[in-house]
Structure formats: structure tokens, C-alpha cells
């Protein structure tokens, strides 16, 4: 299958803005209540109108949907609920017509237990795929081979009565881990990647890409020290140091093989999700450095941020210090975390003001950027009642952890239409009534959050130094975050994240630039007043 040619640029990904689409919740074209590939194609004009460079599609492969598609039963086909391979080809063609590159999720660390590979592997201990998954004998007392814990709760081992062995699952019981120590497994997975490259895919987001290998000796993990930085996991998974069940040195060689495959095709790129709490930025440096592994990666540093200047500045400075020749992809929201507007909002705040300020900040950072669907509308985290939950994480840990469904609810397109234009029937997750009032068709006018995103994306394109120039933190106080961006020009970006106005001295020769969504700063000589929850930009001599 030939690829519709876009302008050739092997470095298109460096500083790119990528729009993440969660297919189940973007647009239902069939009246099933679930979003699909044709629905995405119908709505691509909206994405292109933002001025982004690419889209990233969360999984749409054949799957029993135990983890909403992150449990893959066939790496080379489309699940019928999303459409067909022909629908996917049409989506790629339309995206390329609009100047959008297409990146897709690759869930390589584990498959579904419904995958033909696993069905064969579990059938006996001597079949051709017997070693394609991670199998281990029980301890003499029948307990699992070590203390590894699954992210979704309970031991990371499940007993199989046919083989009379345990198999490893770092996530759900229905997501057995593939054995990357087996070269046949690595080859089969790379073949599946080539399948999508041949269909014109421009890049890949690699799900939990530091989980590919496990310690072959199956050593138990040590406990997390009491004085260690708190884990973002509130369940028992966060009580261990995960030094044996993931982030193994062999991972680097596989990523080199993956990169070598991508290099056979022009202009392809990769972004990795690194779920490492221990030395996460060291892992980013290892995985993106040298130009022979991942093109870029992201961590959860800002995805779990509460929007304080100190936390944001710390994340930036740590990355710039540790990752000397790698590349970061920043994001504030995605399909796995609470929407950042809700995380940043405080009592008395205006939602739209917070959303605009967050956009100014995110799109001023050095690196590539991911925008999650609905972020450009300023959507808050939706409230999903327990009886409507689909997410296994929420079902398992409710009410302490309500899961991820609140950020996965349907995209609101038309305020007055049934289901806000997402579907003609009751959708798979309930539409938040607040979201209907923030629909796309309500936000075309100047001053809306959607209009602000379009303007801020245009501002970033007009000033390439924001994407790729050097960054230096100037101030990170209780309310103010300021940094310089330098390259073809030097810009001072000043963000007042506090609830009262601040006054700051400026360098000689500072010239104010009109930053989208903000009034021109009031200057008195070398001093500037920055209103509460606003931003300012200055060109420096």
C-alpha cells in the first residue's frame, strides 16, 4: 500500500504538536454508541484546523476490550467495532490530504489471552510457541515464583491449569506478557510493525516501552524505601522498587532493532511511554539518546502535575540536565490521567482562564507536545458513576481510585444535538452535561478556549525557538514561572500561575509581544505588571 506523500522532512517530529485521539470516544459513525475509524475521518477537518502536525490513535486492533484495546488479539487487523482495514486506509489518506501525519499505538509488551499466540503457548510445554510468553513453575508451596505485583492489583502471576505453571501479567490477568528473551517473539512483533509501515503509518507511540523485558532470573523486587519519593500508584504496586520486572538493559537492543526498521522508511518517528518512577529521566536519556533508539519519549512528570511553578520548573530542569542528547514529548493530559484543567483548578478559579494559561505554558516548552482530544475545549474531568465504569482500574480500586473513564468520555461536537453530536444512541460512557455546553460548535468565536488553542499553535509556529530553542529557567516561585527561550531569537516567557497580580523587573531592551489570550502587559519603564493567571512574552535584545 503506497503512502500519500507529505513534504519530506525526516525531522518533522522534533518540536511537533501531536493530537491524541481516543477512537472509542471521538465520533460514532455507525450508531453503535462507540466511536470508530470512519467517525475519526469525518472529524479530521477539526483537527487540521487547530494547526497540529500529527495525530496519534490509541489502539483500534482486534481485541476483547478487557483493557479497552490495550489487550491485542491480532496485531494486524482492525477490531470490527472500529471498522475495517479499508476504513483505516481511508483515514490515513484523508489525514495526509490535510497535512496530518498518522501515529498509532503499539502495545508490544503483552497481548490479549485471546491472541492465537497465547492460545498455542498455553496448550502444552512443548509446542512451537511454548516459550513465547513468560511461564514459570510455582514455588514448592504452590505460591507464585516471586513477589512481583500487577499494576491493576494482585500478584503479577496467574496459574494456568493446562500447563500447571504461572504466566506473567504486569497488567490484567487477560494481558499475558510476551517473552522478549525469545528472538522469534521479537521478530514477529517487528513484522507486525512493518505491516503498518507498509500501510502508510508515519510513526508509533510505544505503550509502556520499558516493560518489554523482565529479569530472566525472576528475582523478587525490594520494598520501596520509606524515604523514597512517593509513588504515583496509590495501590500496592507503588510499594515496591520495580528493578527486576521492567526497565532491563536488554530493552535497549530491542529499541535499536525497532529504530533500524523505521529507518527503512523515510520520515517515520516514534514516541515512547516510559512508566518508570525510579530514575525515570535516566531511562529517557538511555532510550532516546544516541539517535539509534526512540526518537522521543514522555514520562508522567507533567501528567501528574498540579500546576505549581516549582514542580513544572523542576521537571524541565531535570530533563535538561539529565537528557543531554535525547528529546522529550510534553503532555498535560492523556487517556490515563485526570484532565489537567481539573488538576490545576482551585476554588474560585475560572475554568477557561486556567485552560488558556495551561495552553500558553505547554506550547512554550522546548520539545514536542501532545494535546489530548477535548483539551482544546477546556474540558474538565467527567464524573462517571460506578455502575457505568468500563475501566478495570476504576472497578478494582473504587472509590479511592475512580479509574480513567473520566478522561475518556465522548467528545462533544454540537451542543444542541443528541449526545452532543457524538452518537445518535446512548454512548459507551455517559456524556458529562458540562461538556455539552463546551462543544466544538460553541467555541468558534474569539476568546473561547478553542480559538485560543488555534492562536497559540499559530504563535508557536511563528516562533520556532519555542519548539526547538534552548530553555533556561529564570524564576520558579510560589506563583511565577519564567524561562528564556533562545535560538534564532531570544524570548522571555513569564507565567503568573497565582491568584493575584505580580510586578517584575525586565532586562534592558525587552520588547513585549502579543501573546494569544493575554492583554498587552502594562509596562512602567523596566517593570511589568502581570495579572493573575496570565502570561506575557518579551523579545530580548
Amino acid at each position: 500500500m503506497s503512502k500519500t506523500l507529505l513534504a519530506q522532512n525526516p525531522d518533522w517530529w522534533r518540536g511537533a504538536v501531536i493530537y491524541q485521539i481516543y477512537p472509542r470516544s471521538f465520533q460514532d459513525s455507525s450508531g453503535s454508541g462507540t466511536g470508530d475509524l470512519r467517525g475519526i475521518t469525518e472529524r479530521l477537518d477539526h483537527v487540521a484546523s487547530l494547526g497540529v502536525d500529527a495525530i496519534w490513535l490509541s489502539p483500534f486492533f482486534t481485541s476483547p476490550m478487557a483493557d479497552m484495546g490495550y489487550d491485542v488479539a491480532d496485531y494486524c487487523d482492525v477490531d470490527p467495532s472500529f471498522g475495517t482495514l479499508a476504513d483505516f486506509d481511508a483515514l490515513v489518506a484523508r489525514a495526509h490530504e490535510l497535512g496530518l501525519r498518522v501515529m498509532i499505538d503499539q502495545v508490544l509488551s503483552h497481548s490479549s489471552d485471546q491472541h492465537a499466540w497465547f492460545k498455542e503457548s498455553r496448550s502444552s510445554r512443548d509446542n512451537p510457541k511454548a516459550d513465547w510468553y513468560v511461564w514459570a513453575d510455582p514455588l514448592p508451596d504452590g505460591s507464585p515464583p516471586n513477589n512481583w505485583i500487577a499494576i491493576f492489583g494482585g500478584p503479577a502471576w496467574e496459574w494456568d491449569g493446562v500447563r500447571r505453571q504461572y504466566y506473567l501479567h504486569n497488567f490484567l490477568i487477560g494481558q499475558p506478557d510476551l517473552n522478549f528473551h525469545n528472538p522469534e517473539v521479537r521478530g514477529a512483533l517487528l513484522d507486525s510493525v512493518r505491516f503498518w509501515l507498509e500501510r502508510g503509518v508515519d510513526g508509533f507511540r510505544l505503550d509502556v516501552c520499558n516493560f518489554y523485558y523482565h529479569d530472566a532470573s525472576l528475582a523478587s523486587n525490594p520494598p520501596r524505601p520509606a524515604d523514597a519519593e512517593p509513588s504515583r500508584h496509590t495501590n500496592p504496586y507503588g510499594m515496591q522498587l520495580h528493578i527486576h520486572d521492567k526497565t532491563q538493559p536488554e530493552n535497549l537492543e530491542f529499541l535499536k532493532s525497532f529504530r533500524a526498521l523505521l529507518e527503512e522508511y523515510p520520515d517515520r518517528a516514534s514516541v515512547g511511554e516510559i512508566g518508570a518512577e525510579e530514575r525515570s529521566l535516566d531511562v529517557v536519556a538511555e532510550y532516546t539518546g544516541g539517535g539509534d533508539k526512540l526518537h522521543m519519549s514522555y514520562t508522567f512528570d507533567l501528567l501528574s502535575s498540579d500546576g505549581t511553578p516549582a514542580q513544572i520548573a523542576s521537571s524541565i530542569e531535570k530533563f535538561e540536565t539529565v537528557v543531554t542528547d535525547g528529546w522529550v514529548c510534553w503532555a498535560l493530559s492523556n487517556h490515563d490521567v485526570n484532565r489537567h484543567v481539573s488538576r490545576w483548578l482551585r476554588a474560585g478559579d475560572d475554568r477557561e482562564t486556567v485552560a488558556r494559561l495551561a495552553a500558553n505554558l505547554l506550547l512554550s516548552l522546548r520539545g514536542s507536545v501532545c494535546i489530548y482530544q477535548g483539551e482544546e475545549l477546556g474540558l474538565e474531568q467527567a464524573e462517571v458513576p460506578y455502575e457505568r465504569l468500563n475501566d478495570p482500574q476504576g472497578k478494582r480500586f473504587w472509590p479511592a481510585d475512580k479509574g480513567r473513564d473520566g478522561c475518556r468520555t465522548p467528545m462533544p461536537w454540537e451542543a444542541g444535538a443528541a449526545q452532543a453530536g457524538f452518537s445518535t444512541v446512548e454512548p459507551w460512557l455517559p456524556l458529562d452535561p458540562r461538556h455539552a455546553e463546551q462543544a466544538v460548535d460553541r467555541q468558534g468565536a474569539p476568546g473561547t478556549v478553542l480559538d485560543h488553542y488555534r492562536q497559540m499553535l499559530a504563535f508557536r509556529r511563528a516562533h520556532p525557538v519555542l519548539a526547538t530553542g534552548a530553555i533556561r529557567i529564570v524564576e520558579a516561585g510560589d506563583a511565577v514561572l519564567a524561562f528564556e527561550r533562545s535560538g534564532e531569537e531570544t524570548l522571555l516567557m513569564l507565567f503568573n500561575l497565582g491568584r493575584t497580580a505580580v510586578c517584575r523587573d525586565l532586562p534592558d531592551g525587552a520588547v513585549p509581544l502579543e501573546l494569544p489570550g493575554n492583554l498587552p502587559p502594562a509596562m512602567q519603564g523596566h517593570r511589568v505588571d502581570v495579572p493573575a493567571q496570565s502570561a506575557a512574552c518579551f523579545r530580548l535584545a
Side-chain angles (χ1 to χ4, degrees):
M1 172 110 7
S2 63
K3 173 178 179 283
T4 303
L5 290 179
L6 298 169
Q8 290 230 345
N9 177 12
D11 285 332
W12 67 265
W13 52 272
R14 195 178 293 274
V17 178
I18 304 164
Y19 184 92
Q20 182 192 355
I21 292 175
Y22 195 71
R24 292 178 68 87
S25 295
F26 202 61
Q27 177 65 59
D28 170 20
S29 73
S30 65
S32 66
T34 299
D36 48 51
L37 296 179
R38 288 188 180 184
I40 294 171
T41 304
E42 291 173 4
R43 296 293 190 180
L44 281 180
D45 282 356
H46 165 75
V47 181
S49 77
L50 297 173
V52 300
D53 302 288
I55 60 172
W56 148 29
L57 302 177
S58 290
F60 52 83
F61 314 111
T62 306
S63 168
M65 300 296 168
D67 189 23
M68 300 298 103
Y70 283 89
D71 48 322
V72 179
D74 187 338
Y75 284 101
C76 297
D77 204 356
V78 174
D79 191 87
S81 65
F82 294 124
T84 66
L85 281 170
D87 293 331
F88 177 79
D89 294 338
L91 189 161
V92 172
R94 179 57 180 155
H96 288 166
E97 287 174 3
L98 293 169
L100 296 169
R101 299 181 190 268
V102 178
M103 306 183 77
I104 65 172
D105 243 312
Q106 289 291 283
V107 190
L108 304 181
S109 70
H110 53 268
S111 76
S112 165
D113 61 0
Q114 299 304 304
H115 198 294
W117 297 346
F118 186 72
K119 291 179 178 180
E120 182 175 353
S121 184
R122 80 189 312 177
S123 67
S124 69
R125 296 194 187 191
D126 57 3
N127 68 79
K129 291 185 172 56
D131 193 39
W132 278 43
Y133 291 82
V134 184
W135 296 95
D137 292 327
L139 296 178
D141 64 357
S143 57
N146 60 30
N147 72 343
W148 296 352
I149 294 174
I151 285 180
F152 290 136
W157 298 95
E158 177 68 9
W159 176 255
D160 181 73
V162 176
R163 284 186 54 142
R164 297 187 63 79
Q165 284 182 306
Y166 284 97
Y167 67 83
L168 177 67
H169 62 93
N170 275 298
F171 296 89
L172 293 176
I173 289 172
Q175 294 173 298
D177 276 62
L178 284 151
N179 181 17
F180 273 71
H181 292 284
N182 185 329
E184 292 182 353
V185 170
R186 301 195 300 271
L189 290 170
L190 290 176
D191 285 345
S192 73
V193 173
R194 186 182 294 277
F195 174 87
W196 295 105
L197 287 167
E198 289 292 321
R199 300 196 89 87
V201 164
D202 300 285
F204 301 91
R205 180 261 189 185
L206 298 183
D207 185 64
V208 293
C209 67
N210 59 313
F211 277 76
Y212 294 160
Y213 279 87
H214 64 286
D215 173 16
S217 73
L218 302 184
S220 286
N221 287 325
R224 190 176 192 85
D227 59 353
E229 187 174 330
S231 170
R232 68 181 179 87
H233 295 280
T234 57
N235 61 55
Y237 187 84
M239 299 171 71
Q240 291 184 357
L241 288 179
H242 294 275
I243 61 175
H244 295 302
D245 51 354
K246 61 183 181 181
T247 323
Q248 300 303 295
E250 298 94 330
N251 242 26
L252 297 175
E253 291 306 312
F254 177 77
L255 292 176
K256 289 179 182 178
S257 299
F258 182 89
R259 177 64 174 265
L261 172 57
L262 263 59
E263 293 295 330
E264 296 179 25
Y265 298 79
D267 298 358
R268 304 310 206 269
S270 57
V271 56
E273 176 195 33
I274 294 178
E277 296 183 285
E278 295 78 47
R279 49 184 290 272
S280 65
L281 289 176
D282 291 320
V283 178
V284 171
E286 292 171 354
Y287 283 26
T288 63
D292 60 351
K293 296 176 285 294
L294 296 174
H295 292 79
M296 52 188 166
S297 68
Y298 71 87
T299 68
F300 283 81
D301 293 63
L302 294 190
L303 287 167
S304 56
S305 164
D306 58 2
T308 64
Q311 195 274 335
I312 297 169
S314 175
S315 297
I316 295 169
E317 289 186 316
K318 284 179 182 177
F319 179 84
E320 293 296 322
T321 300
V322 175
V323 187
T324 55
D325 69 340
W327 196 253
V328 71
C329 187
W330 296 111
L332 299 179
S333 289
N334 71 13
H335 65 293
D336 279 333
V337 300
N338 284 359
R339 289 185 176 274
H340 68 269
V341 168
S342 292
R343 298 200 315 268
W344 289 25
L345 208 60
R346 303 289 183 271
D349 284 350
D350 176 69
R351 174 190 57 82
E352 293 188 359
T353 299
V354 171
R356 287 190 291 265
L357 181 58
N360 285 137
L361 176 57
L362 177 66
L363 293 169
S364 298
L365 294 178
R366 177 180 185 267
S368 303
V369 169
C370 276
I371 293 174
Y372 180 51
Q373 66 179 54
E375 180 177 332
E376 77 275 23
L377 305 178
L379 299 187
E380 299 171 68
Q381 184 79 355
E383 290 293 330
V384 180
Y386 179 81
E387 60 272 14
R388 292 294 306 273
L389 289 182
N390 283 266
D391 180 23
Q393 179 176 310
K395 290 181 177 180
R396 180 69 184 269
F397 297 112
W398 180 280
D401 181 348
K402 295 183 179 180
R404 301 164 294 178
D405 282 336
C407 65
R408 299 176 174 182
T409 54
M411 181 79 171
W413 297 102
E414 302 155 26
Q419 306 304 333
F422 166 74
S423 178
T424 56
V425 300
E426 180 69 20
W428 75 286
L429 283 176
L431 185 82
D432 191 310
R434 297 172 300 173
H435 291 183
E437 297 304 312
Q438 299 155 25
V440 171
D441 70 342
R442 289 279 179 93
Q443 295 207 40
T448 60
V449 177
L450 175 56
D451 177 68
H452 179 76
Y453 266 81
R454 288 171 175 152
Q455 289 193 45
M456 190 60 205
L457 281 159
F459 187 85
R460 180 179 170 94
R461 288 194 303 276
H463 299 276
V465 69
L466 292 178
T468 57
I471 187 168
R472 180 178 71 88
I473 301 297
V474 174
E475 180 180 353
D478 292 336
V480 174
L481 173 64
F483 48 75
E484 284 185 7
R485 305 302 317 279
S486 57
E488 317 88 74
E489 60 180 338
T490 300
L491 301 181
L492 172 64
M493 309 299 300
L494 200 160
F495 303 90
N496 180 5
L497 302 172
R499 276 68 184 170
T500 57
V502 297
C503 186
R504 288 295 183 272
D505 290 323
L506 294 173
D508 290 342
V511 177
L513 299 183
E514 186 172 348
L515 191 65
N518 296 270
L519 295 173
M523 298 183 64
Q524 300 175 355
H526 292 305
R527 294 182 68 78
V528 61
D529 290 318
V530 184
Q533 295 182 306
S534 68
C537 174
F538 304 88
R539 180 180 285 120
L540 303 184

